[in-house]
Amino acid sequence: MRINRFFYRSGDFWAGLVALIVGFWGLSPIATDFFYWIFSVALMMVGIYELFRGLTNSRSTDDKEHKKHDV
């Protein structure tokens, strides 16, 4: 597992960031319903997972990026 140098081009990174922002928004004191809290925690867990997937990548994906930029 390696850090993705082009993480800002990754859809997983941006999806995770949006899920985290929406999850934190749902944990605000305004949302007093229990289901909002459950949904927000689930969104935060998915957001952390997707953000991690966007920041890291497998070796084969990294090699493809190197080949694309070395031409």
Side-chain angles (χ1 to χ4, degrees), residues 1-17 20 46-58 61-62 65:
M1 181 172 22
R2 298 174 58 178
I3 299 294
N4 185 4
R5 292 185 316 171
F6 305 106
F7 68 91
Y8 53 88
R9 295 181 185 173
S10 173
D12 294 332
F13 172 76
W14 293 109
L17 194 62
L20 279 175
V46 169
I48 290 169
Y49 172 73
E50 290 293 328
L51 194 68
F52 182 72
R53 275 186 46 188
L55 288 174
T56 60
N57 62 354
S58 66
T61 308
D62 196 34
E65 289 292 332

Side-chain angles (χ1 to χ4, degrees), residues 2-71:
R2 298 174 58 178
I3 299 294
N4 185 4
R5 292 185 316 171
F6 305 106
F7 68 91
Y8 53 88
R9 295 181 185 173
S10 173
D12 294 332
F13 172 76
W14 293 109
L17 194 62
V18 168
L20 279 175
I21 290 170
V22 172
F24 278 124
W25 185 279
L27 289 179
S28 68
I30 297 171
T32 57
D33 191 19
F34 180 70
F35 292 109
Y36 284 128
W37 284 75
I38 296 295
F39 184 68
S40 297
V41 169
L43 266 178
M44 289 175 52
M45 290 182 348
V46 169
I48 290 169
Y49 172 73
E50 290 293 328
L51 194 68
F52 182 72
R53 275 186 46 188
L55 288 174
T56 60
N57 62 354
S58 66
R59 187 130 179 86
S60 62
T61 308
D62 196 34
D63 290 341
K64 289 177 189 175
E65 289 292 332
H66 284 293
K67 289 178 184 176
K68 187 175 12 176
H69 294 289
D70 287 342
V71 174

